[in-house]
Every structure is written in structure tokens, then in C-alpha cells.
Amino acid sequence: YVLSGKIKTKDLAATARLEVSDALKGHEKFVKFSEGLTDNNGWTDQALVFVAPDGTENINVLLRVVDQQKGGGAGTVWFDGYELYALE
């Protein structure tokens, strides 16, 4: 599968990223996430390519701001034009 779209950030003191995980078993089953963006960025293409493990029935798709440094996550993030599709 491919999850793709654009992210724009302004004065972001965290990381904006794409993330997918198993909707029923969460991160224990599988989780994948993009590199992400911080600080100031114009519209930037992002894509996350992933394979759902056998037995996965549903997935969570997250457009997420992760504050790993506990800095409060101040700033602004825009997400736009997201698509999820299967690779052939």
C-alpha cells in the first residue's frame, strides 16, 4: 500500500508525520511511519509505502504530530491531498 499527500509546517517544535498501524492490535502487530517534518517547511510531498502483515483486517491511518521531546508541540501543521491505495 501507499499513503501519500503533502505536509506544510510553520515554527513546529515537534514532528509531523504519516503513520499506519493495525486497528485491532495496535503497535504490537505492526506500525510504520514516515520520516516527518519539523520547523518550517513549504508544501512537501510525503509518501509511506507499507505491507500489512497477514491477518491484518483493518488499519489506522494517522496524520500525526508527535512531540517526542516534550517541547509542547508548538507551531502549526497543515495536511492536504491524502490518498491511500494498493500497489499492483
Side-chain angles (χ1 to χ4, degrees):
Y1 293 93
V2 177
L3 175 61
S4 65
K6 295 178 184 266
I7 300 175
K8 179 180 175 181
T9 60
K10 181 180 179 188
D11 302 325
L12 184 61
T15 301
R17 69 184 189 194
L18 315 180
E19 185 174 309
V20 293
S21 65
D22 186 290
L24 301 176
K25 297 180 181 169
H27 294 106
E28 295 81 35
K29 175 90 178 200
F30 92 100
V31 62
K32 301 289 182 192
F33 48 88
S34 65
E35 184 176 321
L37 300 173
T38 62
D39 302 316
N40 294 291
N41 296 276
W43 286 110
T44 304
D45 291 326
Q46 293 278 289
L48 176 59
V49 177
F50 67 97
V51 174
D54 290 342
T56 302
E57 296 179 23
N58 298 291
I59 62 169
N60 289 323
V61 174
L62 303 167
L63 310 177
R64 188 169 189 189
V65 176
V66 179
D67 181 18
Q68 296 173 329
Q69 302 301 318
K70 307 293 187 237
T76 305
V77 177
W78 296 266
F79 296 95
D80 193 30
Y82 280 85
E83 299 179 315
L84 176 64
Y85 56 92
L87 288 174
E88 308 242 350

